Amino acid sequence: MKRLKELRLNKKMTLQQMANILGLTQRNYQRYESGEVDPPTSKTIALADFFDVSLDYLVGRSDDPERH
């Protein structure tokens, strides 16, 4: 989930804004970004959709952000 922070900052969004979008507390979202907690599949899909990147890119399995 290292890419979450990068993607969030590219959109100029705060932790709180992302947490609100996902219906989480800021601390819970921050745990996703720090890698303390793996988000559930539904949240991972929502994040990939929001940032318009592939799931593989989001979780670090690919360096290609394009969805195929």
Side-chain angles (χ1 to χ4, degrees), residues 21-37:
I21 288 168
L22 295 172
L24 302 169
T25 65
Q26 179 178 326
R27 180 65 183 127
N28 281 344
Y29 179 77
Q30 188 175 28
R31 287 180 176 136
Y32 292 171
E33 280 194 6
S34 70
E36 290 176 55
V37 174

Side-chain angles (χ1 to χ4, degrees), residues 3-68:
R3 292 197 164 126
L4 275 180
K5 184 174 184 177
E6 175 186 316
L7 290 166
R8 175 178 59 83
L9 293 175
N10 284 343
K11 283 197 173 262
K12 298 180 177 25
M13 297 185 73
T14 65
L15 286 168
Q16 187 61 59
Q17 288 171 318
M18 286 304 305
N20 290 344
I21 288 168
L22 295 172
L24 302 169
T25 65
Q26 179 178 326
R27 180 65 183 127
N28 281 344
Y29 179 77
Q30 188 175 28
R31 287 180 176 136
Y32 292 171
E33 280 194 6
S34 70
E36 290 176 55
V37 174
D38 289 331
T41 302
S42 61
K43 298 293 185 192
T44 305
I45 291 169
L47 287 162
D49 287 347
F50 179 79
F51 291 117
D52 195 27
V53 296
S54 71
L55 286 170
D56 281 344
Y57 178 80
L58 187 63
V59 299
R61 290 179 45 138
S62 171
D63 290 329
D64 181 6
E66 295 294 317
R67 298 170 120 179
H68 300 283

